[in-house]
């Protein structure tokens, strides 16, 4: 379990920490009896355990974890979860079905919880999709036919089955991925600052953005 980031306002600044202090680190005043609007709030962790995320598009670093190792440039890997938290992902050796390794990822939910027909068919549909010839190891190409191709093609099949409009790679990336990776960048920056020091005092947070370069290769 990672530490939760907490933020509160004092001296006109946003102050971030893992543990709320007794006194303001800027002015030294007691923080007891502060105004309600200055009370500490925790920042939602933007990373989730992908094995607890049903029917979702999941993103994680190919190697290591976002919070500890990710440098904003390294390769990312994507997959699709079924209703049991098994993550289907396409790599050089074909489609993997894994129940561990996606414990800290960015999630894009793909179905609304009241779409029972779709949820009921999801696992079978994902399994059938994954056994198609286009996802054999020989067809894998790091740039042209990769994990993102697999996930997006599946998403478009699901949309087609619901008579919904298809999404291009660019459109899906801009609408659903970029807002989340931006939030993740900010969270990673804060988290690492707080691992180095007790407080992070911000006027405006400068972040190293998570690159979505991998998503735009084709
Ligand atoms: Zn203060």
């Amino acid at each position: 379990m990672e530490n939760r980031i907490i933020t509160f306002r004092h001296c006109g600044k946003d102050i971030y920490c893992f543990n709320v202090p007794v006194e303001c680190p800027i002015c030294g005043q007691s923080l007891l009896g502060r105004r309600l609007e200055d009370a500490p709030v925790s920042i939602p962790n933007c990373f989730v355990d992908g094995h607890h995320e049903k029917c979702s598009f999941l993103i994680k670093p190919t190697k290591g974890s976002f919070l500890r190792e990710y440098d904003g440039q390294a390769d990312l890997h994507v997959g699709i979860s079924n209703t049991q938290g098994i993550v289907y992902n396409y790599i050089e050796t074909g489609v993997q079905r894994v129940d561990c390794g996606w414990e800290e990822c960015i999630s894009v939910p793909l179905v609304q919880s009241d779409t029972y027909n779709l949820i009921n068919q999801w696992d079978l549909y994902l399994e059938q999709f994954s056994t198609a010839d286009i996802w054999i190891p020989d067809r894998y190409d790091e740039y042209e036919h990769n994990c993102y191709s697999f996930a997006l093609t599946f998403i478009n099949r699901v949309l087609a089955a619901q008579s919904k409009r298809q999404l291009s790679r660019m459109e899906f990336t801009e609408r659903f991925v970029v807002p989340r990776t931006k939030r993740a960048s900010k969270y990673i920056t804060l988290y690492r600052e707080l691992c180095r020091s007790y407080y992070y005092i911000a006027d405006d947070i400068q972040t190293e953005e998570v690159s979505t370069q991998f998503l735009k290769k084709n």
Side-chain angles (χ1 to χ4, degrees):
M1 198 60 196
E2 301 290 349
N3 291 323
R4 277 189 327 164
I5 299 176
I6 294 163
T7 181
F8 61 93
R9 266 191 90 73
H10 210 262
C11 297
K13 307 271 187 192
D14 289 320
I15 302 166
Y16 297 86
C17 53
F18 285 135
N19 297 295
V20 182
V22 178
E23 295 169 349
C24 170
I26 302 169
C27 68
Q29 269 181 27
S30 170
L31 294 174
L32 294 171
R34 74 190 110 204
R35 294 177 305 164
L36 195 60
E37 60 266 34
D38 295 333
V41 289
S42 67
I43 296 184
N45 184 343
C46 49
F47 300 110
V48 294
D49 183 341
H51 302 293
H52 294 162
E53 297 289 300
K54 292 178 179 182
C55 312
S56 298
F57 173 86
L58 304 173
I59 307 167
K60 72 176 186 92
T62 304
K63 293 199 181 83
S65 91
F66 272 122
L67 284 175
R68 290 175 201 289
E69 294 99 359
Y70 188 68
D71 66 0
Q73 296 301 319
D75 284 342
L76 295 172
H77 187 42
V78 303
I80 302 277
S81 62
N82 74 2
T83 66
Q84 308 299 314
I86 307 290
V87 182
Y88 286 61
N89 58 104
Y90 184 47
I91 59 171
E92 298 93 319
T93 55
V95 178
Q96 285 189 307
R97 298 158 179 80
V98 296
D99 63 4
C100 66
W102 294 72
E103 288 81 4
E104 186 193 283
C105 55
I106 297 170
S107 170
V108 181
L110 297 173
V111 300
Q112 285 161 336
S113 55
D114 59 351
T115 48
Y116 302 109
N117 278 345
L118 180 57
I119 293 168
N120 287 338
Q121 293 174 50
W122 188 269
D123 292 356
L124 180 63
Y125 199 53
L126 181 57
E127 180 57 35
Q128 286 175 347
F129 175 79
S130 301
T131 53
D133 284 346
I134 57 167
W135 310 118
I136 59 173
D138 280 356
R139 296 283 304 273
Y140 184 85
D141 179 276
E142 190 182 344
Y143 300 100
E144 302 293 330
H145 195 67
N146 55 18
C147 59
Y148 203 66
S149 322
F150 171 81
L152 189 63
T153 306
F154 180 73
I155 290 166
N156 274 323
R157 293 283 171 85
V158 171
L159 289 171
Q162 298 175 287
S163 308
K164 289 185 180 166
R165 192 171 63 79
Q166 306 284 287
L167 295 170
S168 70
R169 177 173 287 240
M170 181 72 86
E171 189 180 5
F172 183 78
T173 304
E174 296 296 329
R175 275 179 59 188
F176 298 102
V177 178
V178 171
R180 288 172 173 84
T181 55
K182 279 191 174 160
R183 211 182 313 140
S185 302
K186 183 173 168 181
Y187 194 87
I188 291 169
T189 302
L190 270 175
Y191 187 90
R192 291 189 182 158
E193 287 291 340
L194 292 176
C195 288
R196 282 195 285 268
S197 54
Y198 286 115
Y199 307 109
Y200 185 70
I201 297 164
D203 293 314
D204 194 20
I205 298 163
Q206 300 295 315
T207 63
E208 303 161 40
E209 290 209 349
V210 172
S211 166
T212 52
Q213 200 63 32
F214 82 111
L215 305 169
K216 290 176 181 166
K217 279 176 180 166
N218 52 20

